[in-house]
Amino acid sequence: MPGPTVDADGDQTVPAAPGRSDTANGKAPFAAATVGVLGSLAALGPLTTDLYLPALPELTADLHSTAPAAQLTLTGSLLGMALGQLLFGPLSDRIGRRRPLLAGLAVYTAASLMCALAGSMPTLIAGRALQGVAGSAGLVIARAIVRDRLEGVPMIRFLATMGLISGLAPILAPVAGAQLLHVTDWRGTFLVLTVLGALLTVGSALGIRETLPAELRHGDGLGTTVRAIGGLLRDRPFLGYLLTSTFAFGALFAYVGGSSVVLQDVYRISPQTYSLVFAVNSIALLAVTQLNGRVLVQRFPGPVLLVSALSVAVAAGVAVVLCTTVWDTGLAGVWPAFAVLMGSMGVIMPNANGQALTMAPHAAGSASALLGTGSFLCGSLVAPLSSAGGHPSATALGVIVLGCSVLALVSFLPLYRTRS
């Protein structure tokens, strides 16, 4: 059963709005084309971060920079996505979903071109930050659109359907990025993102209709937005799910941000081999996400699923640390551990985010913004830590993954006891 919900002003709990789900009337909530666009918008984040990962060593050398500085291009993008969601989420609650979405995608396209033309590392970092801010519109508004139409288990299942589309991004992006390096340099990867941004702008203009009626918008200005966000942060169940999602995302992006440099520099694998490793691990995430949406949420209570998956993530972090300190297993040990970590995220992320969004039917944009901001802020902080000492370290990466997983589990345990 859904927990208490927070209203638009953030100062009282209200029941979930009736009749929001079209599935209750036997109708599909979205047209097939709209599902494709929403999934692509959700995939924009992974594509933005993953497509150029195999080219990190090349762009570092080309711009005469260092590995920590190159990883700041990832940090800049993640910070932009974190802060941008605080802009676009509440804004979409105030003026509707379409206009902020289209504006953000247009700026994303221009920022991607800026990255492709960057002549120095500071310029590239700035372009990546702008790219992250603008691209966050698609991430946060796609979730809000789903919450406008669905709630509860149907919402989690639809998020899994979106995950089927967006989950292809981390599988295909590094592979495509590695293959692009055969025919172009790292700049070509950003030209691909430029074209993608333009296509999504057109697709959203044609395929996304307004899902937030004028009477449900928050037209009272910044004060209403601040009260809505404050009310969400004061709601302990929402805050618990928010922290769980945030720290779990930190573990995920510690791997995403650190694996390229660590696996290629420490274990001496080629960009093509790295793309294979990344693809296999992403398949684990995709498969478990679909298993969760189609089977697990129907058979097991949400708290049981979350505490089990969080425990698996902790175990994966322990395995990475042991395989890089106590046992010298090489890639054969850390690869399966990272695959298990990615698989656990297929349960953690949709369930934690879905439960949090269920509590905010009248402030879906603000709730989605807080979820995205927390996640990407944590990700931006942990992504460069595996090279913080100036040299990539597999042990440091394992410690970061373990620490974030433990914090996610600790954040959820009070909710687990309450729900149980």
Side-chain angles (χ1 to χ4, degrees):
M1 178 178 294
T5 58
V6 181
D7 71 358
D9 293 321
D11 56 6
Q12 62 180 348
T13 57
V14 296
R20 300 179 71 92
S21 175
D22 288 342
T23 57
N25 299 320
K27 298 186 295 183
F30 298 104
T34 304
V35 174
V37 174
L38 289 173
S40 299
L41 290 174
L44 193 59
L47 282 170
T48 301
T49 56
D50 296 348
L51 187 65
Y52 86 124
L53 287 180
L56 272 178
E58 178 188 317
L59 73 86
T60 302
D62 187 49
L63 296 177
H64 308 288
S65 189
T66 63
Q71 286 191 313
L72 285 178
T73 62
L74 179 60
T75 298
S77 177
L78 294 176
L79 277 174
M81 289 181 184
L83 299 177
Q85 292 184 71
L86 283 179
L87 167 66
F88 286 106
L91 183 63
S92 74
D93 283 339
R94 292 176 56 192
I95 67 174
R97 312 299 188 202
R98 266 180 59 88
R99 285 184 291 170
L101 174 62
L102 296 178
L105 290 174
V107 175
Y108 174 89
T109 303
S112 298
L113 183 59
M114 175 183 172
C115 291
L117 300 176
S120 66
M121 188 62 75
T123 302
L124 180 59
I125 293 172
R128 290 285 290 169
L130 180 59
Q131 191 183 40
V133 170
S136 70
L139 303 177
V140 67
I141 294 176
R143 281 195 303 262
I145 288 173
V146 173
R147 184 61 188 93
D148 288 340
R149 302 290 292 273
L150 298 170
E151 60 187 25
V153 171
M155 178 176 59
I156 294 175
R157 293 186 66 182
F158 191 84
L159 290 175
T161 301
M162 288 176 59
L164 176 62
I165 301 172
S166 65
L168 293 174
I171 297 173
L172 299 178
V175 177
Q179 297 309 311
L180 280 172
L181 295 180
H182 287 300
V183 297
T184 185
D185 58 7
W186 61 270
R187 298 180 188 276
T189 63
F190 288 106
L191 289 177
V192 170
L193 292 177
T194 303
V195 174
L196 174 64
L199 292 175
L200 278 177
T201 303
V202 174
S204 297
L206 298 177
I208 299 293
R209 298 180 179 180
E210 183 58 64
T211 59
L212 186 65
E215 62 271 17
L216 295 181
R217 298 175 189 175
H218 308 163
D220 296 332
L222 182 61
T224 299
T225 298
V226 172
R227 288 194 297 273
I229 291 177
L232 289 168
L233 293 176
R234 290 193 302 270
D235 185 80
R236 290 186 179 181
F238 177 87
L239 183 60
Y241 284 114
L242 171 63
L243 291 175
T244 300
S245 176
T246 295
F247 290 124
F249 197 86
L252 174 62
F253 260 83
Y255 162 74
V256 170
S259 63
S260 175
V261 176
V262 167
L263 296 184
Q264 292 185 69
D265 288 2
V266 175
Y267 295 106
R268 303 299 180 183
I269 64 175
S270 67
Q272 288 69 36
T273 302
Y274 166 71
S275 68
L276 173 64
V277 172
F278 200 91
V280 170
N281 292 354
S282 298
I283 289 173
L285 171 63
L286 179 60
V288 177
T289 298
Q290 292 308 298
L291 179 66
N292 173 74
R294 298 178 182 274
V295 179
L296 298 182
V297 295
Q298 304 291 338
R299 298 187 179 183
F300 301 99
V304 173
L305 289 176
L306 274 170
V307 78
S308 300
L310 288 166
S311 300
V312 170
V314 171
V318 171
V320 174
V321 173
L322 291 178
C323 287
T324 56
T325 54
V326 178
W327 309 310
D328 185 15
T329 62
L331 185 62
V334 299
W335 183 355
F338 283 133
V340 170
L341 172 72
M342 293 286 278
S344 71
M345 295 298 159
V347 174
I348 297 169
M349 302 310 298
N351 283 281
N353 290 340
Q355 291 296 331
L357 288 171
T358 296
M359 299 175 184
H362 299 294
S366 297
S368 181
L370 287 173
L371 287 167
T373 296
S375 296
F376 282 98
L377 184 60
C378 185
S380 68
L381 294 175
V382 304
L385 292 183
S386 61
S387 298
H391 300 283
S393 169
T395 301
L397 179 57
V399 170
I400 298 164
V401 167
L402 176 59
C404 288
S405 300
V406 169
L407 288 173
L409 178 60
V410 170
S411 298
F412 181 71
L413 284 178
L415 282 178
Y416 175 69
R417 289 194 294 266
T418 301
R419 298 303 184 197
S420 298

